[in-house]
Amino acid sequence: MDKVKLQHLLSEMTLTEKVGQLVQLTPGFFSAEYGDVITGPELNIDLGQVDVWQTGSVLNLSEKATIDKLQTEYLAQSRLKIPLLFMNDMIYGYKNVFPIPLALAGSHDNKMLEAIGAFLAQEAAADGVHVVFTPMLDVVRDPRWGRVLESPGEDVHTVKAYGSSLVTGLQGNFSRNAKIDMHHVAACIKHYASYGAVEAGREYTAADLSQYSLLNTYLPGYLAAVEAGVKLVMTAFTVVNGMPASVDNYLLSEVLRRQANFDGVVISDYNALNELITMGYSADDLAAAKAALTAGVDVDMMATVFANGIVRLVEQGALDVEYLDNAILRVLNLKNDLGLFENPYRGFDNNANEEEFAHLSIQATTESSVLLKNEAVLPLNPDKHYALIGPFASSPLTLGLWGSINADFSRVKTLDYSFKSAGYQYEYAKGYSLLNEKVLPVLGDMFKRVVDSNQSSDAQLASEALEVAKDADEIIFTLGEDFLQSGEAASKTDLHLAANQITLIKQLHGLGKKIIGVIYTGRPLVLTDVEPYFDALLLVWFPGTNGGLAITDMLFGKATPSGKLAMTWPRSVGQIPIHYDSLPTGRPLTTANANERFVSKYIDSPNTPLYPFGHGLTYHQDKLTCELIDITYQANTKSVQINCKVASDGQPIEDVLQVYVHQPRQAHVVLPSLKLVGTQRIKQQNEHQVTIDIPISELAYFDNQGTQHLDSGQYTFSVGLSSANLLVTSTVAIEG
Ligand code: GLC
C-alpha cells in the first residue's frame, strides 16, 4: 500500500480504532483457547473504551494454525481490515534452538550470525510470526544479572557486530526503510537503554551511568542496529539516570529519533508503562500515556495506559493528536513494510530447512564453545572407556530460558544420545540432581512443566556415579547451572556451583583419574574453588538443540572448540563489576610494586579474573605463531590495515585473532587501557598471511561533555588470542 493510501486509512480511523493499534496483548485476551505464554506478571487488563478486537498486535502466540485462526477471526471483525501483527520472543531460536547469545557473540563469526538470523526468520515467518524481540543488545558487566544469557556480552565492538549481523539476517538486508520479504521478519532490538547496568545485578533496579559511559559503552550497540535498518526498538523497564527509559525524552526523542534518525516503531516492555505509576513517576494512566507517547513510544505492551489514558486525553483536549497520528502511522508503516495489507498470511508458505539447521547449529555450538582449560587430556581417545556423569548429559533442558519457551524438546540431541549414536565406550550416571522444588517457587513458575523430579537422594546418586567412575579410564563430568537459574528474573548473589556438584567433584577427584568438565550455564560462574579438580574444562553455555552432537565431536577431536569469552569470568563475586576495558589508574598494579600498599589492588584477591575477556583455547593453539608484517594507515579508506604471517607448524588450527587498541596518550578524556576494535576468524593448516582492516571510526569516542572526537596521532595496536594474550604490538600514525 502506498503512503497516500496509508494516510487515507488513518483519516478513516475512529479514536478507539487509532488507540487500539497502539496496544499489544497476549492472545488469551482474545479467547482462552489461544492460551498464554506469560513472560511477566499476570495482569487484569481493563481496556476502557478500546475493544480487544481493535488492538493492533499480539505477543507470544506461535503455531501456524493458531495464528491463521486468530488472524481470520480478527479480520472478520475489523472494520477497516487492518491485519493483526504477531510478535514473539524468538530470541535465539524457535522450535529449533541455537546456542544462547552470550555464546554466539563469542564466535566472532558475523557471516554465521547473519545466517542464524536468516534461519530464525524463515522458521518464525513460516508459522506466521512477523516480528521477533531480538537481538537483545544490552552491554553487561555483572554476571549476577540473569539476563547476561541473552546479551552479546561486555564489549562494545562485539555487541555492535552481533546486533548488526542478526538484524541483517533476520530482516534480509542491511538498509533502512526497506520492505521485508516473506522469508524474513522484522527485528526488535532491546532493551533501550542500558538495562544491563542494573544496580548490583539485581533484576529491574535502576541504572545510574555517566554520560561518558552511556555514550561510549551502552548506546553504540543499539545505534549500530538502527544503522543496520532495524524496524523496532523496545524500551527498558529500568530507570536510567533518574528517568524511566520509556519516557526519557533524551534517550528516545533526542538520541534515537533525532540524532539516529530512527523512524521505526518503539514498543514498551511488558507492562512497563503501568510500572511508571508503580514507581511513582506518573500519577495515573493519563500522565503515563502522555509522557510515553510524547517521548516517542508507539506501542504499549501488556498495560492499560494507552487504552485508558490516550482516549481520555484526546477527549479532554490535553494531547496534541499529532503524536497519536505519528505513532499510528509508524505502526501502519511497519505492517505495510511486511506486506500484511496485501497478504495477512505472509510467510505461511515458508519451510525452514532442517538440514540447514543441523549444519548451522552444529557450527554455531562449535564456534561458540570455549575451551577454558586443557592439560593435554583433550581430544579424548575413542579407545578408552569413559564415565559420563551429571544430569546435563541426559537432559533436554539445555536450551536456556528463552530458548525453552517454544522449543521442541524432542529434537534435542543430548551428550548421552550423541555418545551412544557415535558408538563411544561409556557409561552414564546422573550423579546429582539439578533444580528441585525448594528453588523453583523463588524463580516463579514460568515453566511449571520443568522440575527435576529426582527420585533418588544426592547421596544415592553420588554413590552410583562413583561406582561407574571406578570402572572407567577417565571421567567426563557435566556441571553448571540449571536453565531456570538464568535469564529474566534470575539474579543471584552466589555464583558458585551447587553444593551437591562440588561434593561429587571432590569425591570423583579422589579416584585419581583424569576429569574433563563440560560446563552448561547461562552466565559466568565462579569456578575458582573447583577449577583445580579438572584437567580440562569445556564451556558449552546452553548449546542448543544439536549441542550434544557438536560437543561430542569437539571432545573426540573431530572439531576444535574455537569460541571466545564475550564476558569475563571473575574469581569471586567480590570482583564484580569486572571487565577487560576498564580505565587506567594512576597507581597500576605491576609485578614490581605488588608488595607495596598504595597500589590499585585487593588485599584478599588478585585483580585478574579467573578467565579474561576473549579467552578461549583451541586444539594446537600452542603451535600458533603470529608475526607482524606491517601496519599502515590507509587514508583513502580511513582504516588501519594490519598484515600478519600466521603459522602453526603444519597443524590444523581454527581460532579468532583479536585486534586491540591501547589507550592513546593524546585523548581529551581517559580511555580504556585496551579496547577491542576488530576480530578475524582463521582456519588454516599452512602458513598464511592474514589481513585485518580496522575502520578508524572504531577509534572515535565521546568526552564527558558528550562531544565526539577522533584524534590524529600515534596509536598502538596489538593482535592477540585474548585480552590477556597479545602476540604482536606495533604503532601507526593516524589522521583523525
Ligand atoms: C519480557 C522481557 C522482554 C520480552 C517481553 C515480552 O518481560 O523483558 O525481553 O521481549 O517481556 O515477552
Side-chain angles (χ1 to χ4, degrees), residues 472-486:
D473 297 316
E474 294 179 351
I475 300 162
I476 299 163
F477 187 85
T478 61
L479 60 147
E481 188 183 64
D482 181 274
F483 88 101
L484 280 171
Q485 294 191 298
S486 55

Side-chain angles (χ1 to χ4, degrees), residues 39-40 59-60 89 91 133 147 150 190-191 195 204 234 237 269-270 301 402 488:
T39 56
L59 80 144
N60 285 334
D89 280 305
I91 317 289
F133 293 131
R147 300 195 76 162
E150 310 165 50
K190 62 189 186 183
H191 305 81
Y195 182 10
Y204 312 128
M234 184 189 295
F237 293 119
D269 202 338
Y270 188 112
M301 181 197 292
W402 286 117
E488 185 172 356

